Amino acid sequence: MISMTTKQIAPYGSWRSPITADALLAGSIGLGAVQNSGEDVFWLEARPAEKGRNVLVHRQPDGTVRDVTPAPFNVRTRVHEYGGGAFLVTADGVYFSNFSDQQVYVQGVGQEPQRLTNRPDCRFADFVLDQPRQRLIAVGERHHSEAKEPENFLAAISLENGEVTTIATVHDFYSSPRLSPDGQKLAWITWDHPHMPWDATQLWLADIDQAGNLSNLKIIAGQAGNESIHEPQWSPDGSLYFVGDRTDWWNLYRYHKGEVDNVFPLDAEFAYPHWVFGLRSYTFVDTDTILCTFTQDGAWQLGKLKPSRKQLSILGLPYSNYSSLCSDGKTLWFIGSGPTTSSAVVALAVEAQETEILKVASDFTLDPAYLAQPQAISFSGDDGQTAHAWYYPPTNGDFRGPSDALPPLLVKSHGGPTAAAGNSLSLKIQYWTSRGFAYVDVNYGGSTGYGRDYRQRLNGQWGIVDVADCVNAARYLADQGLVDGEQLAISGGSAGGYTTLAALTFHNVFKAGASYYGVSDLTALATDTHKFEARYLDGLIGPYPERKDLYERRSPVNHADQLTCPVIFFQGLEDKVVPPNQTEMMVQALKAKGIKVEYVAFPEEQHGFRMAANIKKALESELAFYGEVFGFTPAKN
C-alpha cells in the first residue's frame, strides 16, 4: 500500500480512481433466486449488457455451467410489480414466467421453452409443483380493464393444457403457497388492505382432496391481526415452520400437532421484508437441522439451528449478508456478500464447512488500498431514539485531501422505506469514496433489521422520522469533524428519493441532492400507483383522502419555494411504481424558481435502472453535478 507521505494531495471529489463506471459495470451482473434439484443448482443472472435480461443459469454436479433460458426470454414476473419467485426447478425441467407476456413457460432438459399458459389477463409467481395432481400452484394476479385494481388469487395451472383454475380468492393479497411433503396439505399467506406484509399477515392451512379442492381452511398464525408472518416451509417430518414477529423480532416458529412454539427466541431478525416473492432465509438439512440467516445490529450471520435442543451455533463465514438459502442435505447454496467481497453464489459443504464460489457478481478486482471499510455508527434521532447507519471514509491509495479541508459527504437514504442498508461491498459506494467523498448509508427509523418497534417508528411519520435521521446522521459526522458541514449532499431512489426531496425542501442542511425516480407528490402517489402499494401510505402517513392535509403538507412539490439548492433527477419513463410525472412536476417547479436543476430521463427503463449504459450515465452525471456545485473537477478516468 502506498504510504501517506507519497500520496498526491488533491481536492476531495477530484481523485482519480480505478473504480470507473465502465470498470464497475464490466462483467457485472445481478445474482438472485438460487434453487436446487438434487445436486444441480440454478440461479438468475440479471445482465446489464443484455438490457437487464434475467437469465436462468444451471450448474451441474461436474461443474459445467450453462444458460438455460435463451434470448429473448427474460425470467421475470410483474406480480405486485416488484416480482420475485419467477421460476421453479423440478427434476424434469423448469417452469418460469416470461417478462414480455407474463405467461408461464415450461422447458424440459435440453429443450426449448414452450408456453404453458394462455392467459394474457394474468400474471403468475411463486410456483410450487403439485405432482400428484399434475399441476402447478402459484400466486396469480388477474388484470381487468374495467376493474379498479387487479385481483390476486391462488392459481392451479394444469401441466397438461395450461388451464388456470382459481382455488382461493377472498383476500387482497396471496403469497407463499407451500405443499406438504405428502401432498395432502397446503399452507399460504394472505393480507388485506391497508396492511403491508410487514405489518399484519395471516398463515393459512388447508387439506387438499384428490380433485385438488381446498377444505378445512384455518388460520394458524396471525389471527390477532398484528403479526407479520413470512416464509412458511415444511420440514421433512411434516411440521410447518414460519417466521413471525409476535415478540417484536422476526423469529422462527413451528406449528406441530396444533401447537405453535418459538423455535429459538432471540432479539434478532430471521427474515427480510416481503417486498418480493421467493425469499428464503432458512432451509432444512434434515428434520432437526436448520441452516438459517439472521441479523443483529445491521449485519447478517449464518447459523446452524437444532430445534430439539434449542441450540444455535454460528458458522464463521466471511459474509455479512446471506439470501436465497437452499440445500440437498449435504450442500448449502446461497448468495453471500461481505464488506470486502462482492455478491456471489456460494456452495457450502455442510459437514466439512468448506465453501466454493460458483459465480461472482463482478469480475472487478479491487486493490485494498482503495477500499473504504464500513463503520457502524449510532446517533440520536429527533424523537430521542437511537438511529443507525454505516459510515465509509474517503479512501484512495494514491490521493489524500488538503490538510486544511474536510471531505464532502454523500448521505444515502435507502428505498422502501421498509428496507435496510447493509455493509456488504458495494462498488457504487466505493465509486464515491475512492474519489474523496465520505459516504453514510442511513438505517433511519422504519428500517428493517432492528425489530418491529424500530420499523414502526415510521408509522404516520414518513417524511418526518426518516428525514430527521438522515439530517442527524450528516450533522453527527460534521460535529465529529469527519466531513465538511458546508458540503453535504443527499441521494436516494424511489422512497429514498422522497426522503431526499423532503430533506432538501424542509431542511437547510444539504447543499445538493440527487433523486432517482423519487416521489415528490404524495397525493399523486396515493391515487396513481399499483395495487401492492395502494394503501401503503395509510400506515406511513394516514388514510387518504381523510388526511389529505398531511399528504399536501409533506409533498415537496407543494413547497418548492422552500427548496433553494441544486438537484439532479433521474427517471425511467416506463416506471409504473413512481410514474414520470412525479419527477417532471418537481423539475418544472424548480426551473420556474431558477434553481439549478438537471433532468436525466431514460425512455426504456422502469423502476430501477437495469441497462449498463444508463447506469453509467447516471453515476457520471451525478458526480459531474456535485463537481459543479462543490467546486471540484472530477478526474477524467
Side-chain angles (χ1 to χ4, degrees):
M1 182 180 294
I2 300 174
S3 70
M4 287 292 291
T5 57
T6 60
K7 286 186 178 184
Q8 300 179 55
I9 299 174
Y12 289 106
S14 71
W15 300 350
R16 188 170 58 252
S17 168
I19 312 172
T20 64
D22 284 324
L24 187 152
L25 291 166
S28 178
I29 57 174
L31 295 172
V34 182
Q35 286 188 32
N36 73 290
S37 177
E39 296 180 345
D40 293 78
V41 61
F42 299 74
W43 62 84
L44 280 182
E45 295 184 3
R47 299 174 178 172
E50 297 184 39
K51 295 188 175 182
R53 187 170 78 94
N54 289 271
V55 182
L56 186 60
V57 177
H58 173 206
R59 186 183 191 271
Q60 297 172 280
D62 64 3
T64 302
V65 177
R66 66 180 183 90
D67 287 357
V68 177
T69 46
F73 289 100
N74 184 358
V75 183
R76 183 178 162 205
T77 177
R78 289 185 61 186
V79 177
H80 293 178
E81 294 300 336
Y82 292 110
F87 72 95
L88 173 69
V89 173
T90 72
D92 300 320
V94 299
Y95 299 89
F96 66 89
S97 173
N98 181 45
F99 180 71
S100 63
D101 59 9
Q102 288 299 294
Q103 297 306 293
V104 179
Y105 285 73
V106 57
Q107 184 173 3
V109 177
Q111 300 178 355
E112 291 295 305
Q114 302 294 321
R115 192 169 69 177
L116 178 62
T117 59
N118 186 22
R119 290 294 302 271
D121 61 326
C122 290
R123 305 170 181 178
F124 304 95
D126 216 358
F127 308 100
V128 62
L129 177 64
D130 185 358
Q131 185 71 49
R133 301 165 189 86
Q134 282 297 286
R135 64 182 186 174
L136 298 176
I137 298 175
V139 175
E141 187 174 84
R142 186 179 297 110
H143 290 251
H144 303 282
S145 58
E146 67 278 3
K148 180 180 178 182
E149 61 180 22
E151 174 192 5
N152 292 82
F153 60 100
L154 287 185
I157 304 171
S158 169
L159 300 185
E160 180 180 353
N161 57 23
E163 181 180 351
V164 177
T165 304
T166 298
I167 59 174
T169 175
V170 174
H171 296 278
D172 291 322
F173 299 98
Y174 288 83
S175 177
S176 311
R178 299 294 180 259
L179 195 64
S180 62
D182 62 7
Q184 302 305 304
K185 294 182 181 296
L186 183 72
W188 68 94
I189 287 172
T190 67
W191 66 98
D192 295 292
H193 288 317
H195 297 301
M196 299 301 288
W198 42 84
D199 296 326
T201 59
Q202 296 178 324
L203 177 60
W204 293 80
L205 184 64
D207 297 325
I208 311 178
D209 63 24
Q210 193 58 39
N213 300 312
L214 303 182
S215 61
N216 300 322
L217 281 71
K218 60 182 177 181
I219 300 173
I220 62 172
Q223 296 95 329
N226 59 359
E227 182 178 5
S228 171
I229 299 160
H230 299 295
E231 296 190 53
Q233 290 193 49
W234 295 91
S235 74
D237 70 354
S239 297
L240 180 60
Y241 284 72
F242 62 93
V243 176
D245 65 354
R246 61 184 63 180
T247 64
D248 183 46
W249 299 90
W250 273 323
N251 279 190
L252 195 58
Y253 290 81
R254 181 179 72 157
Y255 175 77
H256 185 67
K257 295 182 179 180
E259 299 292 331
V260 172
D261 69 289
N262 191 328
V263 174
F264 190 81
L266 187 67
D267 288 355
E269 305 276 48
F270 284 76
Y272 329 93
H274 186 357
W275 278 104
V276 297
F277 295 101
L279 298 173
R280 289 195 312 280
S281 63
Y282 68 98
T283 189
F284 294 93
V285 173
D286 55 46
T287 298
D288 195 41
T289 306
I290 300 172
L291 293 174
C292 55
T293 182
F294 61 95
T295 181
Q296 291 178 307
D297 300 323
W300 291 81
Q301 301 182 78
L302 183 67
K304 180 186 290 187
L305 178 61
K306 293 285 189 180
S308 65
R309 305 178 197 169
K310 297 281 186 181
Q311 180 184 79
L312 177 67
S313 56
I314 307 302
L315 306 183
L317 302 186
Y319 303 105
S320 58
N321 190 64
Y322 301 82
S323 62
S324 206
L325 279 62
C326 61
S327 177
D328 67 349
K330 297 178 296 183
T331 303
L332 171 72
W333 295 279
F334 61 91
I335 297 173
S337 57
T340 60
T341 55
S342 295
S343 179
V345 179
V346 183
L348 169 70
V350 176
E351 290 301 322
Q353 295 292 289
E354 297 175 348
T355 59
E356 178 184 3
I357 305 298
L358 307 187
K359 183 70 177 184
V360 293
S362 175
D363 296 331
F364 185 72
T365 302
L366 182 62
D367 186 325
Y370 303 92
L371 181 62
Q373 293 284 352
Q375 303 170 19
I377 63 171
S378 299
F379 49 92
S380 295
D382 282 3
D383 58 3
Q385 294 200 38
T386 299
H388 309 277
W390 294 104
Y391 166 67
Y392 299 78
T395 306
N396 188 303
D398 301 320
F399 292 92
R400 63 184 177 91
S403 58
D404 60 350
L406 290 170
L409 172 69
L410 183 56
V411 176
K412 175 65 180 297
S413 55
H414 65 68
T418 308
N423 66 344
S424 295
L425 176 64
S426 166
L427 291 179
K428 286 186 178 180
I429 292 177
Q430 304 296 330
Y431 175 88
W432 295 102
T433 55
S434 63
R435 283 169 169 74
F437 273 78
Y439 192 103
V440 63
D441 210 351
V442 184
N443 273 319
Y444 48 76
S447 302
T448 55
Y450 302 90
R452 184 180 180 95
D453 286 347
Y454 194 81
R455 284 202 312 276
Q456 292 186 336
R457 278 185 63 205
L458 209 57
N459 286 2
Q461 297 296 306
W462 192 33
I464 306 297
V465 165
D466 52 320
V467 171
D469 284 352
C470 287
V471 167
N472 287 329
R475 285 174 171 161
Y476 170 82
L477 292 170
D479 290 345
Q480 295 294 309
L482 296 172
V483 302
D484 185 342
E486 296 301 315
Q487 292 195 337
L488 305 176
I490 183 169
S491 176
S494 189
Y498 166 69
T499 300
T500 293
L501 293 174
L504 295 169
T505 301
F506 302 119
H507 296 264
N508 294 317
V509 172
F510 298 103
K511 306 304 180 182
S515 170
Y516 285 74
Y517 37 90
V519 177
S520 63
D521 186 342
L522 294 172
T523 298
L525 182 65
T527 57
D528 184 22
T529 191
H530 55 110
K531 180 184 177 181
F532 180 69
E533 292 185 309
R535 301 289 299 278
Y536 190 14
L537 303 190
D538 283 31
L540 293 175
I541 301 172
Y544 186 88
E546 293 87 345
R547 293 312 312 269
K548 186 178 179 181
D549 60 314
L550 291 179
Y551 286 73
E552 293 177 346
R553 189 184 311 159
R554 297 185 197 172
S555 293
V557 73
N558 296 333
H559 306 279
D561 59 308
Q562 297 177 223
L563 203 163
T564 58
C565 70
V567 187
I568 186 169
F569 294 83
F570 301 92
Q571 178 69 46
L573 297 185
E574 294 185 6
D575 193 337
K576 303 300 182 184
V577 178
V578 178
N581 67 310
Q582 288 269 311
T583 291
E584 291 162 1
M585 286 188 295
M586 198 69 186
V587 170
Q588 292 305 316
L590 295 183
K591 281 184 176 179
K593 277 194 66 181
I595 299 293
K596 178 179 175 58
V597 61
E598 291 186 22
Y599 179 38
V600 184
F602 300 115
E604 296 181 79
E605 293 285 10
Q606 295 155 14
H607 196 64
F609 303 151
R610 294 172 171 82
M611 301 180 192
N614 296 341
I615 297 170
K616 174 185 176 181
K617 183 176 181 180
L619 264 177
E620 293 179 341
S621 297
E622 188 179 353
L623 176 63
F625 186 78
Y626 294 146
E628 293 179 17
V629 175
F630 293 143
F632 66 83
T633 301
K636 297 184 181 298
N637 62 346

